[in-house]
Amino acid sequence: MTLTVRDFRPADAKAVADLRRLSVPHRIATPQSIAYEMAHAAPAQSLRLIVAELDGRIVGAVRATLLHDSSVPGRAAAALHVHPDHCGRGIGHALLTSAEEHLSAAGATRLLAWAVDAPGPHAFAESRGYRRTRPARFLRLDLAAAALPPLPSPLPPGVRLRTGADLDADPRPLHAADAEVSADEPGDVVADAMTYEDWLVRTWEHPLIDLDLTSVVTVDGEVAAFSLAATDGLGRYTSAMTGTRRAFRGQGLARLAKTASLHRARDAGCTEAFTGNDAANAPMLAINRAFGYQQFAAEWRYAKELGRD
């Protein structure tokens, strides 16, 4: 069998999406989302998608990008996926080597990657010089059968529930809220340099984002909390980001936003919901477990300083 490692081609989009769903079923992907991300990548990302082809079939892929939405220079990320039937054949090694070389040439000095919480992925990462940093939890909700809490009626004075589509004429207030919440998220690198123009492309216009299922809570007309919804058209829903601006925290507004989004998602035919949280994000983990989410998978973040082999 002949293994070929090469750059992504538009015709590969379905095969890469299928591979991602098989490798990490708690993350959603579609051929449209793969193609969109590659076609609309900002130059500052230095985005490269590399695939491994075995006798004409894609059996592995790695997405390598600079984290240009952080004010800390030199940070990069790689997302590696190998078909479960082809692990242990050097495919992951070949792909990750290509990703490291590309990102190092693009100016990256520290590379971050996620590994499924299992002995094999841990051993692979550590053999490559990566060190474990922090865990994340991925939760699943049987949305078709879940006993979702009812929406309060009436809403508190000054509080209004809107959809993302309601803000389509001017989404800048939602960008400001997303930027503030993202900057406060626990993690290895802070996302504190998200420009409005980049957010429009990477979030607002992304084909996975469903503006009708996205919920926005306003207080006296100001965006206070939100829950960005993403769907794959196959009955799967995921929370792309849920949070509350600093001035409005402690009032249950993120829970309100997510409650509204989940109700609309179920009404739209979604049958299962996924979400992911840093293990240190106790408030969101508590909110999600109160909805009935149960742990589905766990991953560990790994980091490697490039140029120190």
Side-chain angles (χ1 to χ4, degrees), residues 8 10 19 25-26 34 41 72 74 123 142 156 164-165 170 183-185 218 220 224 240 242 246 269 290:
F8 168 86
L19 174 66
H26 48 282
I34 303 295
V72 181
D142 182 350
D170 181 18
D184 289 347
E185 266 212 309
T218 62
D220 296 329
T242 298
R246 300 177 191 114

Side-chain angles (χ1 to χ4, degrees), residues 179-271:
E180 185 174 306
V181 169
S182 297
D184 289 347
E185 266 212 309
D188 288 303
V189 59
V190 60
D192 60 351
M194 186 187 344
T195 67
Y196 177 66
E197 291 73 21
D198 192 43
W199 178 85
L200 280 177
V201 174
R202 295 177 62 200
T203 300
W204 192 251
E205 298 170 355
H206 195 286
L208 292 180
I209 295 297
D210 191 316
L211 299 183
D212 290 322
L213 304 187
T214 292
S215 286
V216 181
V217 178
T218 62
V219 177
D220 296 329
E222 184 178 354
V223 171
F226 64 94
S227 187
L228 282 169
T231 58
D232 65 358
L234 302 173
R236 292 154 52 90
Y237 160 106
T238 190
S239 301
M241 173 65 80
T242 298
T244 306
R245 300 196 73 168
R246 300 177 191 114
F248 298 96
R249 290 173 186 169
Q251 302 176 46
L253 300 181
R255 187 175 190 273
L256 174 61
K258 191 154 188 176
T259 299
S261 183
L262 287 170
H263 274 287
R264 284 201 298 273
R266 182 159 65 186
D267 291 344
C270 295
T271 57

Side-chain angles (χ1 to χ4, degrees), residues 87 114-128 130 132 302:
C87 291
W114 288 103
V116 174
D117 189 12
H122 289 319
F124 172 77
E126 289 160 12
S127 72
R128 296 276 316 181
Y130 289 79
R132 195 182 305 189
Y302 276 85

Side-chain angles (χ1 to χ4, degrees), residues 76-196:
L80 173 67
H81 308 295
V82 176
H83 193 290
D85 294 342
H86 296 278
C87 291
R89 301 185 181 184
I91 296 170
H93 175 84
L95 287 169
L96 195 55
T97 296
S98 295
E100 290 172 357
E101 290 173 350
H102 165 69
L103 291 170
S104 183
T109 56
R110 191 168 195 253
L111 178 56
L112 303 171
W114 288 103
V116 174
D117 189 12
H122 289 319
F124 172 77
E126 289 160 12
S127 72
R128 296 276 316 181
Y130 289 79
R131 61 178 183 83
R132 195 182 305 189
T133 63
R134 59 194 308 122
R137 303 286 181 259
F138 293 88
L139 311 177
R140 177 187 179 275
L141 177 68
D142 182 350
L143 191 53
L148 296 177
L151 289 167
S153 181
L155 293 172
V159 175
R160 184 182 174 192
L161 267 173
R162 307 178 71 185
T163 70
D166 293 333
L167 277 65
D168 202 22
D170 181 18
R172 287 180 184 273
L174 186 55
H175 161 258
D178 193 2
E180 185 174 306
V181 169
S182 297
D184 289 347
E185 266 212 309
D188 288 303
V189 59
V190 60
D192 60 351
M194 186 187 344
T195 67
Y196 177 66

Side-chain angles (χ1 to χ4, degrees), residues 22 24 59 129 202 250 260:
L22 180 66
V24 281
V59 294
R202 295 177 62 200

Side-chain angles (χ1 to χ4, degrees), residues 43-73:
Q45 285 183 261
S46 293
L47 177 63
R48 188 178 176 196
L49 181 56
I50 307 165
V51 302
E53 193 176 61
L54 193 61
D55 290 343
R57 180 188 177 197
I58 290 178
V59 294
V62 63
R63 183 182 189 273
T65 182
L66 295 178
L67 298 177
H68 70 305
D69 56 358
S70 174
S71 62
V72 181

